Amino acid sequence: MSLKGRGAVITGGGRGIGKAVARCLAEAGASVVVSARSTNEIEAVAAELKADGLEAHAITCDVSDEASVNAMASAAMERLGTVDILVNNAGIAPSNPVKRVTLEEWNRVMGINVTGTFLCTKAFLPGMLERGWGRVVNVASVAGLRGSRYIATYCASKHAQIGFTRAVADEVADKGITVNAICPGYVDTPMTEYSVTQITEKAGVSPEEALQHILATSPQKRLIRPEEIAAVALMLCGKDGEGISGQAIAIDQGQGNH
Ligand code: NAD
């Protein structure tokens, strides 16, 4: 129970990676708030955790909206007492060749993936600074470390999220707070299912062929399990992660070395 007594907020906690991170941190003893736009999903996650005797709350929030983030932050602090851990996980990943990307799509992706990370960090960092202890984990992507065709907007947003991670980590380096990014390759979540659907529709191939296309980028020829991301988040939040900050940790089966 390495996180006993810690309060943790996980954005995008209604499914996929966020859901796995919420369970992992709660099982390690943290009291968690799962937050996302889809109220029914986060309520289901909180109910599942509570049914297992863990402390969990669901608070609806759109991370791209400042008023919504601030309302969520107040409610989270009220329920948890203190928020010591923030996992900025909410994100979207549409794909399009850059010539077809609309300004609306660009702003939407930046608003959630980058501004959302900024707004949530800004809301919870003051409390962490006051107490001299905090952990911020930003779920970025391998798309934040290199470029790939048809996801220029997503790549730009994830590069920005990693730049923000490094800068804030430096700013709070001597304040008992660590700030890191986790950079997964393709993970087995609804977001990847959506990518398969998009490839199927846009390239006119079968879902199996679309999945093979995705797995072609994977040295181990498999999707990463959400629990593998959660395990690294837990390590960063626990005692043994104390010395790690400002890092962008790839969980990509060694894909970056090819
Ligand atoms: P997902 O689509 O399964 O879940 C995304 C979550 O974010 C959902 O709970 C959704 O409600 C929430 N969300 C979306 N927009 C929001 C908003 N405006 N405000 C609040 N919540 C919002 O996605 P996932 O695969 O679990 O991805 C989680 C994170 O991991 C994302 O940041 C994504 O970019 C990143 N990532 C995913 C993969 C992958 O292959 N799935 C790979 C690398 C990085």
Side-chain angles (χ1 to χ4, degrees):
M1 300 296 270
S2 58
L3 300 183
K4 190 130 195 70
R6 302 287 186 202
V9 169
I10 299 99
T11 70
R15 55 181 192 246
I17 295 171
K19 181 179 174 181
V21 172
R23 170 163 287 279
C24 186
L25 300 189
E27 284 178 347
S31 304
V32 303
V33 159
V34 281
S35 184
R37 274 186 308 197
S38 323
T39 305
N40 54 344
E41 289 185 346
I42 51 174
E43 283 182 347
V45 171
E48 265 179 46
L49 296 177
K50 280 194 255 185
D52 290 344
L54 305 169
E55 188 183 337
H57 310 266
I59 303 176
T60 309
C61 168
D62 177 349
V63 296
S64 66
D65 181 294
E66 186 171 24
S68 179
V69 169
N70 290 342
M72 178 273 282
S74 302
M77 289 188 260
E78 204 173 292
R79 308 257 176 98
L80 300 177
T82 60
V83 175
D84 314 292
I85 296 167
L86 169 65
V87 182
N88 283 308
N89 167 76
I92 56 167
S95 65
N96 261 318
V98 70
K99 67 181 178 189
R100 281 202 220 121
V101 174
T102 61
L103 181 58
E104 187 277 327
E105 179 178 313
W106 174 270
N107 286 338
R108 192 158 43 88
V109 173
M110 292 298 164
I112 296 172
N113 296 2
V114 188
T115 309
T117 299
F118 158 66
L119 290 174
C120 291
T121 305
K122 189 169 146 76
F124 291 111
L125 204 58
M128 296 179 188
L129 286 165
E130 219 173 273
R131 293 183 296 278
W133 197 94
R135 297 284 180 269
V136 180
V137 178
N138 297 326
V139 182
S141 168
V142 287
L145 301 171
R146 49 188 177 264
S148 300
R149 64 185 63 183
Y150 309 140
I151 51 168
T153 313
Y154 185 67
C155 278
S157 74
K158 292 296 180 180
H159 275 73
Q161 198 185 17
I162 291 173
F164 180 76
T165 302
R166 291 178 173 139
V168 179
D170 189 47
E171 203 169 305
V172 299
D174 57 353
K175 308 274 192 266
I177 302 169
T178 68
V179 188
N180 289 287
I182 298 179
C183 303
Y186 279 105
V187 184
D188 191 2
T189 73
M191 182 180 278
T192 296
E193 285 167 24
Y194 175 68
S195 299
V196 168
T197 307
Q198 285 210 315
I199 296 169
T200 304
E201 284 168 5
K202 289 177 185 171
V205 297
S206 68
E208 293 70 31
E209 286 168 321
L211 182 62
Q212 285 316 311
H213 172 79
I214 280 174
L215 291 180
T217 64
S218 143
Q220 296 174 358
K221 300 292 169 244
R222 68 178 183 93
L223 297 175
I224 294 160
R225 288 173 295 110
E227 292 74 19
E228 296 176 75
I229 315 303
V232 175
L234 174 62
M235 185 274 293
L236 290 171
C237 294
K239 181 86 187 122
D240 294 337
E242 198 175 5
I244 305 169
S245 194
Q247 300 306 305
I249 302 168
I251 305 179
D252 67 348
Q253 310 171 7
Q255 183 190 338
N257 292 319
H258 290 259

